[in-house]
Amino acid sequence: MSRNALGGAPLKFKAVILCVLITCASTELFAGSYGDIYGAHPSAAGMGNAVTSIVNNSSAVFYNVAGLGRLSDADLFIANLEKLEKEKEAAADPTKEGNPADPAANGPILTPEPTKDSDLKWYKRIGYSLRDGFTKEVFTYKPLLRPTRVYHEVSFQAAYANPTLKNNAPQNDNIKNPDDSFAGLGLTLNLNEIFDIGRTIRFGINALVPASGNLLVVNDQNPTVPRYLQSGKSNERPTIMGGLGVELWKDRLFAGIGFTALAGGSGAILLKDVPISPDPVTANSQVILELKPLINPTYGLQFTYGKFSLGTSYKRETYLSADPIPARAQTTLLGIQLDFDLALLDQYNPRVWSYGLAFRPNQRWVLSVDMNRELWSGYQLSRIKKNYSEPLYLHDTTNVKFGTEFAILPMVKVRGGIGRRPSPVPHMPGENNWMDNDRNIYSVGASYIFNGRNFKFLKDRLRNPVIFDIAITNQQLRSVEVNKYIPTSRNPNYNYGGYIWSIAFSVSFFF
């Protein structure tokens, strides 16, 4: 009898479960999801996803739900435009008291002496500017400009990610041509549109779905079969997140709460390939699978004072859960009926604590660092596998990320980021064959705010700005050599590694 059984048991039952989601609950899949591996939004991915303390768009429900309480980039941009328009209107009336264009209000137009820095070389001026940025007014509160009305956001994104994973492990469908491309939709609603409380309060939702067309494919995975933990089929599932963020202390303190769950639904389980004899075997039963939605909360805080911003986020673990399934298979040779229960625990995503610190030396620069603690050790095998396969333990990991953003112009920003993501998978010298790599991550990105007021033919048509974001990421996967205690033709020594290029693009509309 074969040892490649379900969960390592002497008999092999390959269960392929196709789950068509009927009800759509809010879902948040963290450490192995598209958002965590490639970024939940190009604006964050361009900064290496180091945005726990500063995120302020629809992706805040993924990175830190408290960010929904912040003013968005569009809010800040529109508020600045409104200020400039008021100054222009005031400048058009030179008799107005206190007008900035009035020499009496601003001193002489031309000063007889040159300014302090006018004779300095350009590189010295930059040096003095950086020095002042890190030493002056570090803890000075400056109230942010606010637009005259509230704005809502809807964001569309698409990401192409086709991993180049090189390995000589035993081939199967799980590791052939993995494709991690996905699409996304984000939405935020400013609830001050209903009742103005004098503080920002927003509801947000963000959804990421596979570009393969499969809404959800679940396999009760045999850990002895080589499979990537965070690429390919293990990522092929939707990620839907929601939450509410509130500004508690104006411009300074923000809090948020979100909800997480796996969408519930039903489908069928088909038993096939039951090789207990040399002759073909067919299963004679098909049973209905019921998935239970597991709803878990997420929490977040952000605090800003002077040029510093702090952020922290807590997310519960999520996984798929199903009742034990009574199923029966019958061999055609011996006429033996076999009963078994399938207890599903797959697509696990660990509990995550996130911490972030950001510093803004001036109006243009942002420097940010993040640390995520992912508690993978809570992973468990299904009941069948726990009884028959060898133990499987995953390591807790700490991910560190650095990001920066620079505003070349008020409407043009460039970004960069680096990060280190260790693998939770230990060395696998026995029968288990989970595959994952330590990753060094490098990213660049850019953002452009398209404003109709800057284009005459759009001035009366495009009423609100549109933000375009793009991010390009390269992940270098450290090569792994697996040496088995007892190598065999079915469980040989092997190695794997590679790299992943990905590109993400989004367009955000405000209304």
Side-chain angles (χ1 to χ4, degrees):
M1 290 185 288
S2 170
R3 281 292 299 171
N4 282 333
L6 178 65
L11 302 177
K12 176 182 178 183
F13 298 90
K14 183 192 292 183
V16 179
I17 306 166
L18 303 180
C19 303
V20 180
L21 301 184
I22 296 177
T23 58
C24 188
S26 176
T27 306
E28 192 158 25
L29 305 172
F30 305 113
S33 68
Y34 295 120
D36 196 83
I37 302 300
Y38 299 104
H41 195 277
S43 62
M47 292 185 65
N49 295 309
V51 295
T52 299
S53 60
I54 58 174
V55 63
N56 64 351
N57 57 23
S58 59
S59 67
V61 293
F62 185 89
Y63 295 105
N64 187 346
V65 67
L68 292 173
R70 285 186 177 272
L71 294 173
S72 68
D73 286 346
D75 289 330
L76 298 172
F77 182 78
I78 294 172
N80 188 61
L81 282 181
E82 291 175 346
K83 176 187 175 184
L84 293 176
E85 289 179 352
K86 289 181 180 178
E87 291 178 350
K88 289 180 180 179
E89 291 175 359
D93 185 5
T95 62
K96 187 175 181 179
E97 184 179 356
N99 177 17
D102 184 1
N106 293 276
I109 297 178
L110 298 176
T111 58
E113 297 293 333
T115 61
K116 177 181 177 181
D117 296 335
S118 61
D119 295 330
L120 296 177
K121 299 294 185 181
W122 64 270
Y123 54 87
K124 289 187 177 181
R125 289 199 300 270
I126 293 177
Y128 284 126
S129 176
L130 288 175
R131 182 197 64 187
D132 292 345
F134 284 90
T135 59
K136 293 184 177 181
E137 298 182 336
V138 173
F139 296 105
T140 301
Y141 168 66
K142 295 182 179 180
L144 297 175
L145 296 174
R146 293 173 180 258
T148 55
R149 74 173 185 87
V150 300
Y151 289 87
H152 315 290
E153 171 199 353
V154 59
S155 176
F156 303 93
Q157 68 165 304
Y160 173 79
N162 193 357
T164 303
L165 303 178
K166 304 173 183 178
N167 70 80
N168 59 1
Q171 294 297 304
N172 62 79
D173 291 340
N174 290 319
I175 60 177
K176 287 181 180 178
N177 303 320
D179 187 354
D180 286 346
S181 299
F182 61 94
L185 171 67
L187 175 69
T188 66
L189 299 175
N190 194 321
L191 301 186
N192 282 306
E193 184 76 50
I194 303 173
F195 183 80
D196 192 352
I197 64 172
R199 298 288 187 272
T200 301
I201 176 171
R202 284 193 296 170
F203 170 80
I205 191 168
N206 189 292
L208 303 177
V209 297
S212 63
N214 295 325
L215 188 58
L216 179 62
V217 177
V218 179
N219 293 279
D220 190 26
Q221 171 63 24
N222 184 341
T224 66
V225 176
R227 182 190 189 191
Y228 290 108
L229 179 65
Q230 301 182 82
S231 295
K233 291 187 180 298
S234 65
N235 273 344
E236 202 169 61
R237 61 211 180 196
T239 304
I240 307 171
M241 304 150 287
L244 181 74
V246 182
E247 182 181 30
L248 300 178
W249 185 9
K250 196 169 185 179
D251 298 331
R252 295 180 180 92
L253 182 62
F254 314 89
I257 182 171
F259 44 90
T260 71
L262 285 172
S266 63
I269 175 172
L270 177 64
L271 306 180
K272 64 180 182 179
D273 298 337
V274 190
I276 68 169
S277 74
D279 297 323
V281 179
T282 58
N284 70 341
S285 65
Q286 190 174 17
V287 296
I288 298 300
L289 171 68
E290 296 288 345
L291 293 181
K292 295 179 178 180
L294 298 175
I295 300 176
N296 292 313
T298 62
Y299 306 98
L301 283 173
Q302 287 183 345
F303 178 70
T304 295
Y305 201 86
K307 296 181 178 181
F308 284 98
S309 292
L310 302 172
T312 183
S313 175
Y314 169 74
K315 309 170 186 177
R316 286 287 301 272
E317 68 274 11
T318 59
Y319 51 89
L320 283 180
S321 177
D323 285 331
I325 300 171
R328 175 172 293 179
Q330 179 175 342
T331 69
T332 58
L333 177 64
L334 303 176
I336 299 175
Q337 291 185 343
L338 304 172
D339 294 318
F340 74 99
D341 286 340
L342 173 64
L344 181 68
L345 181 59
D346 196 14
Q347 312 232 18
Y348 176 82
N349 294 272
R351 187 173 302 198
V352 181
W353 285 93
S354 300
Y355 309 93
L357 170 66
F359 182 73
R360 297 178 181 269
N362 53 44
Q363 295 274 341
R364 295 188 173 190
W365 277 105
V366 179
L367 306 173
S368 181
V369 59
D370 267 25
M371 182 182 72
N372 295 347
R373 182 65 175 170
E374 299 181 352
L375 305 181
W376 285 91
S377 57
Y379 179 83
Q380 301 177 24
L381 292 173
S382 66
R383 188 178 63 188
I384 294 293
K385 301 190 189 73
K386 185 181 295 185
N387 292 333
Y388 292 100
S389 67
E390 68 179 20
L392 175 64
Y393 302 101
L394 299 181
H395 298 316
D396 295 338
T397 62
T398 300
N399 310 327
V400 180
K401 300 168 282 188
F402 301 89
T404 184
E405 178 184 84
F406 179 71
I408 300 176
L409 297 170
M411 72 285 295
V412 180
K413 298 178 181 179
V414 293
R415 305 181 177 104
I418 58 174
R420 167 94 174 146
R421 184 181 177 85
S423 170
V425 174
H427 184 63
M428 294 279 181
E431 293 185 357
N432 291 334
N433 286 289
W434 278 110
M435 300 166 65
D436 192 41
N437 307 81
D438 293 343
R439 305 171 184 231
N440 291 325
I441 304 170
Y442 311 92
S443 63
V444 294
S447 175
Y448 177 69
I449 302 178
F450 186 75
N451 175 35
R453 304 183 193 186
N454 294 336
F455 299 88
K456 187 175 181 180
F457 69 99
L458 289 175
K459 186 174 182 180
D460 297 326
R461 297 180 180 274
L462 185 61
R463 299 182 179 180
N464 300 319
V466 179
I467 300 180
F468 298 94
D469 288 289
I470 188 171
I472 300 174
T473 302
N474 175 256
Q475 302 188 34
Q476 292 294 320
L477 309 181
R478 183 180 179 183
S479 181
V480 176
E481 187 78 26
V482 179
N483 296 308
K484 297 295 183 178
Y485 291 138
I486 306 176
T488 65
S489 59
R490 303 188 67 145
N491 190 33
N493 299 329
Y494 59 90
N495 60 72
Y496 58 95
Y499 57 89
I500 306 175
W501 281 99
S502 61
I503 181 170
F505 175 80
S506 71
V507 54
S508 301
F509 301 92
F510 296 86
F511 58 96

